[in-house]
Amino acid sequence: MRWTLIISGLLQIHWQISLPKSAALVAPGAARQFPTKETRPADVLNAQLGALRDADMDATFRLFSRARRLAIEDSARGDAREWEPSRPKIHSQLRATLDRECPGLVGHASSRVLSMIADPEPVRGRLPMKICRVRLGAGQYFVFTLTRQSGYDGGDPRDCDGYEKCW
């Protein structure tokens, strides 16, 4: 999934999330990819909210867009000589950033998706996006932006990650 977190106010369409702990990221008995290009944006958002609720930084990180994952990895590097920061270091950096920028989001008790809208007149050539407003049980509001990933165009090999055209 891929989402970018932005904080602001939006619409008022309601639906309730009911997601078991760390749901649907791995199939029983065998690993499978999540999301796929057939996965609905609402399912991706629910999985991300579940991972954040459970404070599962590995799942939270995996559900970010490839661009966001690269930026998080970049921020976890000590310096240019550290090419691949360790997973624990990446998760620690992600947790610190979320705690600082979005207090209350990690470890929240409950959430409710209030709206999910698409741009009614998207700019041609731009990636499709969904803007989602979420209310946490504590009365905090967050806006998530889900962006459909681009297809692989033969350029940067990091763009050929199995998540082409996924939300």
Side-chain angles (χ1 to χ4, degrees):
M1 148 172 97
R2 310 320 189 190
W3 62 270
T4 303
L5 189 61
I6 303 170
I7 301 173
S8 71
L10 267 185
L11 299 175
Q12 293 267 326
I13 301 168
H14 300 277
W15 95 72
Q16 185 67 43
I17 293 174
S18 170
L19 183 71
K21 288 187 165 266
S22 299
L25 293 180
V26 178
R32 68 173 183 191
Q33 178 178 317
F34 182 88
T36 66
K37 60 184 175 181
E38 290 80 27
T39 307
R40 297 175 323 130
D43 296 334
V44 174
L45 178 59
N46 287 339
Q48 187 66 282
L49 287 167
L52 289 162
R53 178 196 61 225
D54 297 344
D56 182 345
M57 291 299 105
D58 187 53
T60 299
F61 180 77
R62 284 192 325 264
L63 288 165
F64 274 111
S65 67
R66 68 175 72 101
R68 182 67 55 213
R69 288 192 314 267
L70 290 171
I72 293 165
E73 288 173 356
D74 231 18
S75 70
R77 287 186 181 90
D79 59 38
R81 295 171 294 184
E82 188 177 5
W83 184 246
E84 270 191 58
S86 68
R87 280 288 185 221
K89 189 170 184 181
I90 291 169
H91 296 161
S92 174
Q93 178 68 32
L94 175 58
R95 176 66 190 253
T97 300
L98 288 170
D99 286 345
R100 181 182 65 248
E101 302 297 327
C102 309
L105 185 58
V106 176
H108 65 271
S110 64
S111 57
R112 183 175 182 189
V113 176
L114 302 174
S115 65
M116 180 180 286
I117 60 170
D119 186 347
E121 295 183 25
V123 177
R124 185 177 174 160
R126 296 286 181 146
L127 296 172
M129 294 188 336
K130 302 278 186 178
I131 309 295
C132 314
R133 186 171 187 221
V134 175
R135 182 182 189 273
L136 301 184
Q140 296 169 288
Y141 293 86
F142 292 92
V143 173
F144 292 77
T145 302
L146 284 77
T147 305
R148 184 179 289 269
Q149 297 300 282
S150 60
Y152 181 58
D153 62 5
D156 189 331
R158 294 177 296 184
D159 291 344
C160 185
D161 58 4
Y163 294 104
E164 296 79 28
K165 303 290 184 182
C166 293
W167 285 99

